Every structure is written in C-alpha cells, then in structure tokens.
Amino acid sequence: TMAGMRSMTSQGLFTFLPIYLVYELKYSPALVGTYLTIIRVAGIFATPISGTISDKTGRRPILTAGLLITSLLLIALVSLRLDYFFIAVLGILGFFLFSLQPVILAWMMDLAPQNIGGTTVSALFGIQSLFAGFAPPVCGFIADHFGILSSFYFLAFTIFAANFLVYLIPEKPPQKEVA
C-alpha cells in the first residue's frame, strides 16, 4: 500500500504538473518538457545513491526521509513561482521521489521468502499500477471542483500518509521457530 501511494503520487505529479505549468504558469511546451526532464534526470542520479545508503543504514530511515521530503517539496512546488528556485525544487523533488523505488523493492525482497521473489515483485508492480491508475481521475476531480493546486496538496498528503505505513513494515522477516 505504501508503494502504491508513492506510485499514485508520481503518476499524479506527471499527469498534472504539465497541466499546471501550461495553464496556470503559462509556460511553453518546450519549457514544460525541460522541467519534466529535470525531474527524471535527478531521479537517475538518486536511485543508486539511495540504494547504497539504504544498504548501509537500513530501509526505513531512507523511506521515511524520502517520503517526508517529497511531501514537503510538493507543497513548495505549487507555493513558489521563482524560476530558478522552481527548477531547484523540481530537481530535488525528482531526486527524492525516484530514490524511493529501489529502496522499496530492496526492502520487499529482504522480507519475501526466496522461493517467491518473482511473485512478490509482480504483486508490488500490480499494486503500484492499481494505485497509479487512480491518480489521474481523482486528481482531475479535485482539480475540477477545488482548483488544480488542490490536486497537488492531495498528492502531498498521499505521500505523507504513506510515511506512516512505513512503520507497519517489519525490519526483518519473521523467524521460524525451531521445534
């Protein structure tokens, strides 16, 4: 569920950020494309860093920090309209948003029995797709009724709420009792 909520946030962001940039901020399509690229490029650099750090410090601290920072950056994204600062926020947002995926996958594989790794990965991806599929219509409904900025606040809340689910995930798989 936590991974699904992260995917919902990511899908909602990539669906509604271009709409926000074009219709609200009046940016050109080329600039919108550049901004979306900034988010992805930051993610390219983030994933190996977060994976390495989570291998050394544990999965929970990385996920907690990444989810919290992502929620705060989503709020900052729609609150700030200064071009250079906006670019920095997008880059940092991409860094933290994409850095979480390998940590989630690694933690899941840490907890899954070895003989069902493929099944576990497919379940994770299925849940993420399910949640991500709800993001566009839910954010669209919110944007239509409360304004497009409200959809970003919803996404910030979604990923912030996912942070609490991190604490329901066990650190290690349950130990089998020896008879």
Side-chain angles (χ1 to χ4, degrees):
T1 301
M2 179 269 302
M5 292 171 81
R6 188 212 69 82
S7 292
M8 181 181 223
T9 302
S10 179
Q11 183 65 42
L13 177 68
F14 279 99
T15 302
F16 282 84
L17 183 60
I19 295 168
Y20 172 70
L21 294 174
V22 169
Y23 291 106
E24 297 290 322
L25 300 184
K26 308 294 185 211
Y27 289 170
S28 71
L31 190 56
V32 171
T34 301
Y35 281 176
L36 293 175
T37 300
I38 289 168
I39 295 172
R40 295 278 183 189
V41 168
I44 290 168
F45 290 103
T47 53
I49 294 169
S50 66
T52 301
I53 294 172
S54 78
D55 288 342
K56 294 177 182 176
T57 64
R59 315 295 187 209
R60 184 168 293 156
I62 301 304
L63 282 175
T64 300
L67 291 168
L68 179 63
I69 291 170
T70 300
S71 65
L72 295 173
L73 288 169
L74 277 168
I75 292 169
L77 183 70
V78 296
S79 301
L80 305 169
R81 295 182 183 210
L82 302 172
D83 284 334
Y84 295 112
F85 194 65
F86 190 78
I87 293 169
V89 170
L90 282 175
I92 297 167
L93 176 64
F95 187 91
F96 283 98
L97 183 63
F98 286 108
S99 71
L100 303 177
Q101 185 63 27
V103 179
I104 292 168
L105 185 58
W107 199 357
M108 186 198 62
M109 294 309 295
D110 292 346
L111 297 174
Q114 289 182 340
N115 60 336
I116 61 165
T119 302
T120 306
V121 169
S122 67
L124 173 72
F125 287 172
I127 289 169
Q128 288 178 322
S129 294
L130 176 69
F131 276 69
F134 284 110
V138 169
C139 288
F141 177 83
I142 291 169
D144 282 347
H145 288 84
F146 306 103
I148 195 164
L149 293 181
S150 296
S151 62
F152 289 101
Y153 292 123
F154 166 75
L155 294 172
F157 171 77
T158 301
I159 201 157
F160 180 76
N163 212 339
F164 293 101
L165 297 176
V166 170
Y167 290 96
L168 298 176
I169 302 171
E171 286 285 339
K172 297 180 182 191
Q175 300 296 318
K176 294 181 182 177
E177 292 184 28
V178 178

